[in-house]
Amino acid sequence: MYAWKTIEQSLTYIEKHLTEEIRTEELANTIGLSPFYFQRLFKRLVKKPVQEYIKLRRLAKVIDNLKDTDRRILDIALEYGFSSHANFTRVFKETYGMTPDEYRKDLPTLNTFNRPQISMNYVLVDEGVPLVVGDIVLEVERRTLKQTERYVGLEIEVNISEQMPVGESTGVDVPGQLWKQYHREKELLFTSPDSGVELGMSHMGNSAPGYFTYFAGGLVQEIPEQLPEGFQKQELAAGEYIVCKIEAESFEDLATVALNQANNYLFSTWLPRHNFTTEPFAAEKYYCNLEDMASMEIWVKPLPFKDKK
């Protein structure tokens, strides 16, 4: 059996036993490895020590439960193995920069540590060939956008070290918070229903060192002559793109776990192994009105071969 498959087995075991005590020695034993070798292999493939990963996965589950305000915080903490309210509060604040009570008050969007799909690092599909991993489907292809698309929305500067690499940082999800703001305020823009196409765009623009600019907005046929305060216009320019299409069982899964996994696969595996270099830009195109599936696409712009460094 491949080494990564044994770690996949341990990740499955962890997910099923997050409300129980999970000892590293027992995990190693379930897949027939010595604790020493298991811990080294786990950290190499998951990028986290075993018990740190277990803590972060428990906190991710805790966040889902904290949204149910009928449950006491202490009961949720005890269910997931935290010894006391004080211990839980300390760990939660160290990880997310706020207390559980503060989180429950405003329910901000947080970056949580998702279960990684390690197998994606070892599977290389050709263009137009679907890749099924867990509960998501990916497909990568080259596509020509014949006409420039125009969007109107909101922008914010994001600290790269706090948000990247996708799926590995914790704390407030700044782009996620911007999407919440956009959906609250978009009625200021549109007098009729939009097309159901929305765009999240990451680009360097005029960002300060160590930051990137994130845009969240909706497709429009024409840019309004006067935009409400704070709103910006953005374009997805006509041209050649590499597009990673993603399908998931729900829009919530699509915009969180599936997006993180697809970004990691596209930028860490697919593009490097196909020898592509891209511009410092990426767009997430969401199709909001589909009834039979949750679908989105990641768009990147490949550099001409002569411009590759």
Side-chain angles (χ1 to χ4, degrees), residues 154-166:
L154 303 171
E155 282 191 341
I156 193 169
E157 285 201 344
V158 182
N159 188 320
I160 294 174
S161 65
E162 294 178 359
Q163 300 291 313
M164 303 294 283
V166 173

Side-chain angles (χ1 to χ4, degrees), residues 59-291:
L59 285 171
K61 295 294 185 182
V62 160
I63 287 170
D64 288 337
N65 282 271
L66 284 174
K67 296 172 184 176
D68 180 1
T69 55
D70 291 334
R71 297 191 65 190
R72 294 195 311 160
I73 291 176
L74 177 59
D75 292 337
I76 297 170
L78 293 175
E79 179 182 354
Y80 283 92
F82 296 94
S83 58
S84 65
H85 192 291
N87 169 259
F88 173 59
T89 297
R90 177 184 59 79
V91 173
F92 194 96
K93 188 168 185 178
E94 287 175 353
T95 305
Y96 297 111
M98 66 186 73
T99 67
D101 296 273
E102 290 169 339
Y103 169 75
R104 178 169 268 184
K105 180 180 179 180
D106 297 321
L107 294 179
T109 304
L110 298 180
N111 286 322
T112 59
F113 198 91
N114 302 318
R115 173 185 170 171
Q117 292 289 345
I118 299 175
S119 62
M120 297 177 73
N121 298 325
Y122 300 93
V123 179
L124 187 63
V125 294
D126 293 327
E127 292 181 38
V129 177
L131 171 62
V132 181
V133 182
D135 295 326
I136 68 173
V137 180
L138 304 180
E139 187 172 335
V140 184
E141 64 180 10
R142 273 180 276 202
R143 195 179 301 176
T144 301
L145 184 64
K146 295 183 178 180
Q147 294 185 336
T148 295
E149 295 179 349
R150 295 172 176 82
Y151 294 82
V152 175
L154 303 171
E155 282 191 341
I156 193 169
E157 285 201 344
V158 182
N159 188 320
I160 294 174
S161 65
E162 294 178 359
Q163 300 291 313
M164 303 294 283
V166 173
E168 295 185 12
S169 59
T170 56
V172 175
D173 176 5
V174 176
Q177 289 293 90
L178 188 67
W179 274 114
K180 283 187 175 181
Q181 181 184 352
Y182 168 73
H183 286 133
R184 286 196 307 266
E185 300 180 5
K186 68 178 182 180
E187 286 76 13
L188 299 173
L189 276 173
F190 306 119
T191 57
S192 59
D194 59 44
S195 65
V197 178
E198 295 180 345
L199 192 79
M201 180 184 293
S202 303
H203 62 95
M204 301 310 292
N206 297 317
S207 302
Y211 286 76
F212 69 92
T213 300
Y214 188 83
F215 170 89
L219 179 68
V220 295
Q221 298 303 314
E222 295 183 5
I223 302 293
E225 292 184 5
Q226 186 171 0
L227 295 175
E229 182 178 357
F231 279 82
Q232 307 287 332
K233 57 185 178 180
Q234 193 57 261
E235 293 184 345
L236 187 63
E240 302 295 322
Y241 290 87
I242 295 173
V243 178
C244 178
K245 182 179 180 180
I246 316 162
E247 296 177 3
E249 292 185 354
S250 69
F251 188 82
E252 182 178 359
D253 290 341
L254 182 75
T256 54
V257 177
L259 175 59
N260 288 344
Q261 292 174 351
N263 265 311
N264 286 331
Y265 179 71
L266 180 64
F267 289 101
S268 299
T269 300
W270 200 92
L271 289 170
R273 294 191 187 179
H274 282 85
N275 198 30
F276 278 113
T277 303
T278 62
E279 294 183 5
F281 145 92
E284 310 151 12
K285 187 183 286 191
Y286 297 91
Y287 298 93
C288 306
N289 293 339
L290 299 179
E291 297 181 358

Side-chain angles (χ1 to χ4, degrees), residues 2 13-14 17 20-21 38 47 154 158 283 296 305 308:
Y2 292 113
Y13 181 92
I14 290 169
H17 297 84
E20 306 168 20
E21 181 182 5
F38 170 70
K47 314 302 182 188
L154 303 171
V158 182
M296 66 168 294
F305 183 80
K308 295 181 182 180

